[in-house]
Structure formats: C-alpha cells, structure tokens
Amino acid sequence: MSTLEDFRRETRAWLEANCPASMRTGMPDGELVWGGRTVEFKTEDQRLWFERMRDKGWFCPDWPAEYGGGGLTPEQNAVLESELRRLRCRPPQINLGIWMLGPVILEFGSEEQKRELLPPMARGEIRWCQGFSEPNAGSDLASLKTSAVDAGDHFVVNGTKIWTSYGDKSDWMYMLVRTNPDVPKQQGISLLVVDMSSPGIEARPIDLISGKSSFCQVFFDNVKVPKRQLIGPLNGGWTLAKALLQHERRAMSKFGEFSLPTHFDLLSIAGTYLPAQAASSPADVALRQRAYAMAMDEMAYSLTAQRMGEEARARRNVSGLMSIMKLVHSEQEKDKFEVLVDVLGHRALGWEGDAFEPQELALTKAWLGSFAQTIAGGSSEVQLNVIAKRVLELPEGNSGKQGK
C-alpha cells in the first residue's frame, strides 16, 4: 500500500509531466475555461490541461469514483491541492456545478440523481448557472416568488431570476422555486435543476459599467420541469440552499488561491509606475506603504485560507469561517484595486484605444468589476449578518451599524 509520501511523489511527477508551462501562471483576463456542451479553448495548452485533468478524474478529485470523481481521500486531496499551488497550476476549468451543486447532490440527492447528474458534471460536459436572486428577493432570498406548480409528472415554472452569471451561456441551472405559498416563506421553497434549452426560458444579458456582461436576467414562461429534477424533499429546499451557499462562499474565498481574478501583481505594478524611492514625494511614499500593507494582507489571507482548508479536512466545522473568508477576500480585492488605480494615476483613465497599455485598460475594467465581488455570492452586509448570528451568536434584533 502506498503511503501519503508515495502519493505526493507520484502526484508531483504527474503534474510536472502533464501541466503545460503556460498553465502555471496567473489567469490572464479572458482566459478562463468554462466547461459545458460548447467548451472553448484559446490555446492548445488549455485543451491539453483540461483533457488530462478530466481523464485523471481530478476535476473533482475527492468525489467517489463511481460518480466520476477521483476517489481521493481527504488527505490525498490535500496533497494534490498543495502540489497544484506549488506549481501555480491554473484551474483546468471553472464549473459552478462542481464547486456548489455537486456537493449538495452528493449529500441530499437520490442514487438515481447522483448517477445521472454527477458523471457529466465531473467530466466538465455541463456548464451550470445559479438561479437564486430575484428582482425583489436579493438579501432576503427566502422571499422569492418564482413558482413551480405541481402538474402531475412535472412542475410548471413561471417567474424570473436576476444577476444570473452567464445565464445565456449555461447548459443547466440549479434554482430555488416556491412550491408552497401558504406556509412560512422558508418552508415553501424547493430546489430544481433545469435544462436551459427547455421551451419557455429566455436569458437576457445585463450591461455592466465595467463593459462586461456576465450577468443576465432569466425569464420562465410555463416551463415544464420533470419531477425527477427535484433535488431533496419537496418544500425542503431552504436547507439545501444554505448548504449550497456555504459551498459557494468556500469557492469564492479561494479565488485568490486560484489566481482568480487577482491576476494583477500589485508590487510589480507599483514598482513600474511609482518613481524610484530617491525621487519619491511624501504622497508616493504613502502610496508605496499602502501597496506593501495590501500585499501583506494578501499573504495573511492566503495563509489563513490554507489553515482553514486543513481544519475542514480534519472534519472541523468551518461553515462560519467561510462567511468570514468570503467577506474578507471580496473587501480586500476591492481595496487592492483602489490602490492599483491610485498607483496608475491618470493611466487608469483609459477605456479603449492605443493611448493606453492593454494592462492599464484591463485594470480599469477589473477595478469596476471588483465592486460586484462584494455583492456576488451574498453581499458583504449579508455575510456580516451570518457572522453575527452563526459565529458570534449575537441575538436577533441587534441590527446596529457594524464596521468592517
């Protein structure tokens, strides 16, 4: 029987041999690989890295092998993650299904659902989007109105979801629907999975100030959803939603670890754009100090994230910590881009054209996008409420203004 050190040596050798050199850098803007029916690659190395990790079962290495996973133990998975970080390997794909829905199906789904939904997810064949937010159900998610009415062997879904990332490009959606309007709001919600090619679904992109349009509003007009696509018990979706959101926060708290979307090297840019120390003004010195302080915060966050991962693998409860990590990381990202924009000065004023370097144009757009990170996956205010209730165990109604 091989030891954990044997596994580390084998994993290190495999990654060295199979991860192309170009896949061992931070993730440049626009080079994310999304799985799905129409997966696209910008380079041959992206395709090779995707296919090799897929064939190894390492898109979801700690899932059971019978559902398409790698079958690794928690200890082996920790070794794999450590070796991926050591080589700075990019994620071979981004897949919300694997990050968020898959663990929920493993915990709450039927055996039939596990065998039907998990293997194609584990092979990166389905691109998933999340249908939680609604125009009048943002922070108060439980007040959602999109309905699913029992029609015999299927549900009929009507309503709309908003802020759905890549709803226009996804193959399937996992969504919360109201299946009983006559009970307290948390008790009348169910979780469905829906094929986005079903008749009656329309996804409309929402333009953002950053110039990108990853968000959509999705409309459902008498959409038929087979009952076998109900995950968990009818009207029991709130419990599943809370579990799924914990997985979402965990995934988002690891964006920095994945070099996503923090692909701007703060200290390198500060070194390029700020004058040499001998010629620095007091304002330049202060800005340089902010940059170094931010870099130290990033390092502290990364080390804390690694420590949290170790605690999770030791089967300790880290659900509250996930909210803290999500809050800290998204706020830290926003502050980092504020520093970067200050470092660039007037070079951060460009939007398009040849008068600015590509990195300058990309950074300005990323700065605008960083504000969305404090909203997506639960706003900072929502995270503060979760921390107050579940971590600090403060009593209900203590709603005074809270600082960071």
Side-chain angles (χ1 to χ4, degrees):
M1 179 181 293
S2 65
T3 66
L4 206 56
E5 280 310 305
D6 291 334
F7 178 76
R8 182 182 295 279
R9 282 193 293 274
E10 294 165 5
T11 299
R12 180 171 295 183
W14 189 88
L15 291 175
E16 293 278 10
N18 288 280
C19 182
S22 65
M23 295 293 102
R24 304 181 192 180
T25 67
M27 186 75 77
D29 194 29
E31 290 204 10
L32 296 178
V33 174
W34 296 85
R37 293 167 177 160
T38 57
V39 59
E40 295 179 353
F41 306 102
K42 292 187 180 299
T43 68
E44 178 65 9
D45 282 352
Q46 283 184 336
R47 185 185 65 77
L48 284 173
W49 183 225
F50 179 95
E51 292 179 351
R52 288 169 177 172
M53 287 290 278
R54 177 199 62 195
D55 295 343
K56 193 74 172 173
W58 282 357
F59 281 167
C60 32
D62 57 347
W63 287 11
E66 62 263 39
Y67 304 133
L72 300 188
T73 65
E75 293 77 15
Q76 290 173 325
N77 190 40
V79 168
L80 173 59
E81 290 185 355
S82 169
E83 291 302 313
L84 287 167
R85 281 195 301 270
R86 187 184 66 81
L87 279 181
R88 299 192 68 213
C89 298
R90 293 184 194 174
Q93 66 157 343
I94 303 299
N95 192 310
L96 302 190
I98 290 174
W99 284 0
M100 303 172 198
L101 178 64
V104 171
I105 293 178
L106 279 170
E107 183 175 0
F108 298 97
S110 66
E111 185 61 26
E112 180 184 4
Q113 289 170 337
K114 292 175 185 176
R115 295 194 178 279
E116 179 180 356
L117 296 172
L118 295 182
M121 193 185 295
R123 293 192 297 268
E125 295 172 353
I126 301 295
R127 183 171 178 173
W128 290 84
C129 61
Q130 177 173 286
F132 277 20
S133 296
E134 296 187 5
N136 295 309
S139 298
D140 184 12
L141 181 61
S143 64
L144 62 90
K145 302 294 185 187
T146 296
S147 64
V149 176
D150 191 332
D153 63 347
H154 63 275
F155 295 103
V156 176
V157 176
N158 281 286
T160 182
K161 298 290 180 180
I162 199 167
W163 310 123
T164 307
S165 297
Y166 300 106
D168 56 336
K169 295 180 174 60
S170 296
D171 303 311
W172 280 66
M173 170 188 282
Y174 51 91
M175 65 184 300
L176 293 175
V177 292
R178 184 155 301 285
T179 41
N180 188 342
D182 301 322
V183 295
K185 55 187 179 182
Q186 285 91 350
Q187 297 175 21
I189 293 173
S190 300
L191 179 67
L192 295 180
V193 293
V194 181
D195 189 331
M196 293 293 283
S197 64
S198 304
I201 298 179
E202 180 186 4
R204 299 177 189 170
I206 300 171
D207 291 334
L208 300 178
I209 191 174
S210 61
K212 296 182 179 179
S213 184
S214 60
F215 290 152
C216 291
Q217 183 167 5
V218 183
F219 298 87
F220 299 84
D221 182 12
N222 290 317
V223 177
K224 294 181 178 179
V225 179
K227 281 189 171 176
R228 62 184 174 81
Q229 292 171 204
L230 169 71
I231 309 297
L234 183 68
N235 299 319
W238 190 243
T239 298
L240 278 65
K242 290 191 290 185
L244 193 146
L245 288 172
Q246 290 296 338
H247 294 298
E248 179 183 41
R249 288 161 189 156
R250 179 173 183 270
M252 294 190 72
S253 70
K254 296 179 73 173
F255 274 9
E257 184 178 334
F258 293 151
S259 298
L260 293 172
T262 54
H263 51 274
F264 295 98
D265 187 328
L266 175 60
L267 295 184
S268 174
I269 292 174
T272 299
Y273 285 86
L274 291 178
Q277 293 197 27
S280 292
S281 68
D284 293 333
V285 172
L287 190 49
R288 185 174 281 108
Q289 289 175 338
R290 285 174 60 198
Y292 279 115
M294 184 57 63
M296 287 190 289
D297 287 345
E298 281 193 315
M299 177 60 73
Y301 175 85
S302 177
L303 293 173
T304 305
Q306 291 180 36
R307 189 184 69 186
M308 189 182 77
E310 294 296 330
E311 291 184 4
R313 283 185 282 275
R315 303 187 185 284
R316 294 176 183 162
N317 182 5
V318 296
S319 58
L321 289 177
M322 290 178 190
S323 290
I324 296 175
M325 298 300 283
K326 196 277 178 185
L327 169 72
V328 171
H329 186 254
S330 55
E331 292 292 334
Q332 208 172 65
E333 279 292 286
K334 185 162 65 70
D335 293 344
K336 172 183 173 179
F337 278 105
E338 294 286 348
V339 174
L340 283 167
V341 167
D342 286 346
V343 167
L344 259 63
H346 73 279
R347 302 298 302 175
L349 296 176
W351 190 253
E352 60 185 8
D354 298 332
F356 295 88
E357 297 293 331
Q359 179 179 251
E360 295 167 347
L361 298 174
L363 193 151
T364 300
K365 292 179 171 65
W367 165 63
L368 292 168
S370 69
F371 292 90
Q373 294 298 321
T374 63
I375 301 173
S379 68
S380 292
E381 289 74 16
V382 168
Q383 304 308 324
L384 285 169
N385 280 333
V386 172
I387 293 165
K389 292 178 182 177
R390 299 183 190 170
V391 180
L392 301 177
E393 298 182 348
L394 295 179
E396 295 282 350
N398 188 353
S399 57
K401 185 177 181 181
Q402 303 173 64
K404 287 170 58 176

